[in-house]
Amino acid sequence: MKSMTLAALALVAAIAAAPATAQDRRPVYGSLYGGGSMFDVEFEFGGELGFEPEEDGDTLGVGLGYEINDNWFIQLDYTYTDASDVEIQQGLLSLNYQRPLFIPGMRGFVGLVVGEGSLDWNDQPDFADAIRDDLDADEDLIGLQLGLNYDLARHWSISLMYQVFDQEFNTNIETPDNGRLNFEHNGHQYLLFGLRFHL
């Protein structure tokens, strides 16, 4: 995915170009990030669907974090994913453990993520005569994330993060002739490049 490749290249270029120090900064930070997402789409329908469900999209997010100490931080995030036929919005809370790595200013981290998300159809399946439909879904999630943080300066750092979530969105449609269309969006994965500002 192009956005994932660009995120990885940007992180490598920043590490090569900028020595950093993070001394004496405050533990609160805000973050902006973007990247790509992938998920599995499974559906059951006896007729002709008429379109190909998207299985990836572009993701943007904002976050607010707090570094509890040198090894632990928590972060609250909102993400928006546009996958052409659907939109996915997530509210996330993560608890993360981090350790310095072999490059000065770089830390690796792993975290547990919980939250809730919603899926909305932009280009819903064409069943204008549906007698019952459930086209929007809200689902809880639990997942893991791991990544790298790198200090650019006292107040600035960048990150590269991979997330995988156990979350399943279901869409169900019933037509007058007893036809049924069932969608399942699951297996969510994200690769995100972030920019942080530390107070």
Side-chain angles (χ1 to χ4, degrees):
M1 198 180 295
K2 289 182 179 179
S3 56
M4 294 182 180
T5 302
L6 290 174
L9 290 175
L11 181 63
V12 171
I15 290 173
T21 178
Q23 296 178 354
D24 301 325
R25 70 185 181 200
R26 295 182 180 179
V28 178
Y29 64 86
S31 60
L32 297 173
Y33 48 87
S37 61
M38 297 180 63
F39 41 85
D40 299 323
V41 181
E42 301 174 6
F43 63 91
E44 296 180 4
F45 179 52
E48 184 68 28
L49 186 59
F51 71 98
E52 187 67 26
E54 294 287 341
E55 295 187 342
D56 57 67
D58 297 320
T59 299
L60 298 173
V62 294
L64 181 64
Y66 178 75
E67 294 177 330
I68 301 169
N69 55 39
D70 289 341
N71 295 120
W72 292 94
F73 68 93
I74 56 175
Q75 187 164 318
L76 182 65
D77 297 297
Y78 165 80
T79 64
Y80 170 81
T81 298
D82 183 1
S84 184
D85 54 356
V86 297
E87 297 177 350
I88 299 174
Q89 300 182 65
Q90 309 275 34
L92 311 171
L93 178 64
S94 62
L95 175 64
N96 305 273
Y97 178 76
Q98 63 184 359
R99 291 286 293 177
L101 296 180
F102 53 90
I103 298 176
M106 178 177 284
R107 298 177 304 281
F109 68 89
V110 60
L112 176 66
V113 185
V114 295
E116 185 178 10
S118 65
L119 179 145
D120 299 302
W121 284 89
N122 293 324
D123 185 15
Q124 70 184 51
D126 187 15
F127 282 97
D129 59 348
I131 59 175
R132 185 184 69 82
D133 61 50
D134 180 12
L135 297 177
D136 301 333
D138 296 291
E139 292 293 337
D140 295 332
L141 68 89
I142 187 169
L144 295 173
Q145 63 186 22
L146 56 91
L148 300 171
N149 290 328
Y150 181 71
D151 295 320
L152 295 175
R154 178 182 175 186
H155 293 291
W156 295 96
S157 67
I158 54 176
S159 65
L160 182 64
M161 178 170 59
Y162 169 75
Q163 299 173 317
V164 57
F165 297 150
D166 180 17
Q167 185 178 39
E168 182 178 300
F169 295 110
N170 292 296
T171 299
N172 302 290
I173 299 172
E174 184 177 348
T175 60
D177 60 358
N178 295 319
R180 291 179 180 273
L181 175 60
N182 300 315
F183 274 93
E184 183 178 293
H185 291 74
N186 56 32
H188 301 261
Q189 301 179 67
Y190 297 83
L191 185 62
L192 303 171
F193 174 75
L195 176 66
R196 294 179 177 180
F197 177 74
H198 301 256
L199 301 179

